[in-house]
Amino acid sequence: MNILHIEWKTRIRSLIVWSLVVIVILGVFMAFFPSMQSSGMQDLVNTKMNALPQDMMKVLHMDSMADLTNIDAYFAYVFQYIFIAACVYAALIGAQALIKEETDGTIEFLYAQPITRSNLVFWKMVGNLLSFIAFWLITFGASVALILFLKPSGVDSGDLVMELIWVFSSELLVATVFMSAGFMVSSVLRSAKQASPVALALVFLTYILGIMAGLNDNVDFLKYFSPINYAIPSEVMDSGITGTNALISCIIIVVMVAATFILYKKKDLKI
């Protein structure tokens, strides 16, 4: 539990910074929604969307999206980019979790405590997962507040909140996939300086695979290697995350967590 306390204190600053940045960005983009209600803006948006090539619509995940003048559709379009950033954050804190102790030279202090490597990995995982869940709950609260404040009259608040619950719960599962992959990578990295590029690569390379799958039916199988595409907000609002994608996510998490324990036990630590 002492490890958990230390990990929480280490993460609190980045948690606050990421939460504030996401809330500000989300607030700025959602502030444009009321202007979408004017008939002139509706005609302009529909004209621009109809002029986009179908392939571009797929890349932007707008091919299955409803009218952007609806607040849930507008939020889904904006939030898909917030979701990518959240996946980067999840992968980053996972990739930094184990290696930063060696880079900072605090690994000796930890091993002076009566704790095994497995216990260290376990409490590191718990601490980082809790910090990400706190970030996700803050983002969820801000999203609910913004949508309820900006929603047009006549739109059911309960339905909007339920849609957000579906989106955030599905995306939390996917973000955990990236965090678990980050943990596995952290167990083999030699320096914390490698964590940021690795986290970015994990997210954006798999995201590109999803784009390729959407553009070319011959490589449609690549979508299963793109966790971000498991929980696109507009699709989750429409039909929820599929059972197949949820199962794949759970399998990846279990495999990555198990690999982290095995690899870290065998690692030669820089003490």
Side-chain angles (χ1 to χ4, degrees):
M1 290 299 292
N2 188 42
I3 302 290
L4 180 59
H5 178 68
I6 294 172
E7 199 65 23
W8 180 257
K9 288 180 64 178
T10 302
R11 290 294 173 201
I12 189 67
R13 180 177 297 179
S14 66
L15 166 63
I16 293 172
V17 171
W18 273 84
S19 298
L20 289 176
V21 170
V22 165
I23 290 171
V24 169
I25 293 174
L26 189 59
V28 168
F29 278 99
M30 290 302 296
F32 287 102
F33 175 73
S35 65
M36 302 289 288
Q37 300 301 297
S38 67
S39 58
M41 181 61 72
Q42 290 179 20
D43 292 339
L44 177 62
V45 170
N46 290 333
T47 300
K48 294 295 184 182
M49 288 182 63
N50 292 333
L52 288 175
Q54 190 62 31
D55 287 345
M56 180 62 70
M57 296 283 283
K58 288 183 178 180
V59 169
L60 297 176
H61 299 290
M62 297 175 68
D63 54 319
S64 60
M65 190 174 291
D67 190 348
L68 286 179
T69 57
N70 294 328
I71 192 166
D72 52 351
Y74 182 81
F75 176 84
Y77 174 70
V78 170
F79 198 74
Q80 64 180 327
Y81 302 109
I82 302 292
F83 176 44
I84 295 173
C87 288
V88 171
Y89 179 46
L92 181 61
I93 61 178
Q96 292 175 338
L98 298 173
I99 187 58
K100 71 181 179 67
E101 305 297 348
E102 295 179 61
T103 302
D104 296 344
T106 55
I107 193 69
E108 292 185 61
F109 167 76
L110 291 176
Y111 274 98
Q113 312 302 313
I115 188 171
T116 65
R117 289 196 185 191
S118 294
N119 282 335
L120 175 63
V121 171
F122 174 77
W123 288 114
K124 285 276 188 178
M125 287 182 172
V126 171
N128 283 277
L129 181 59
L130 288 177
S131 68
F132 185 83
I133 290 175
F135 160 74
W136 208 228
L137 288 174
I138 292 170
T139 307
F140 172 74
S143 300
V144 170
L146 285 168
I147 278 196
L148 294 183
F149 179 73
L150 295 171
K151 76 177 184 68
S153 58
V155 177
D156 188 87
S157 299
D159 290 343
L160 290 176
V161 173
M162 284 305 302
E163 286 182 330
L164 289 183
I165 290 174
W166 272 109
V167 169
F168 275 81
S169 57
S170 300
E171 292 184 349
L172 177 60
L173 178 63
V174 172
T176 307
V177 170
F178 285 106
M179 185 182 294
S180 64
F183 271 116
M184 190 276 291
V185 170
S186 187
S187 68
V188 297
L189 290 178
R190 305 308 302 174
S191 172
K193 294 179 180 179
Q194 300 170 328
S196 294
V198 168
L200 289 170
L202 277 173
V203 175
F204 287 106
L205 288 179
T206 56
Y207 181 61
I208 289 171
L209 291 178
I211 292 176
M212 292 172 60
L215 294 178
N216 190 337
D217 291 338
N218 293 326
V219 291
D220 184 63
F221 65 91
L222 290 177
K223 66 184 180 182
Y224 296 111
F225 296 92
S226 181
I228 286 178
N229 284 273
Y230 295 175
I232 299 300
S234 58
E235 297 176 2
V236 173
M237 285 182 174
D238 183 53
S239 57
I241 188 171
T242 67
T244 299
N245 289 340
L247 178 60
I248 293 174
S249 297
C250 292
I251 291 173
I252 293 173
I253 292 170
V254 170
V255 170
M256 292 298 176
V257 168
T260 301
F261 279 98
I262 294 170
L263 292 171
Y264 197 69
K265 278 186 177 181
K266 297 180 178 179
K267 186 178 183 181
D268 293 327
L269 302 176
K270 295 189 298 181
I271 298 179

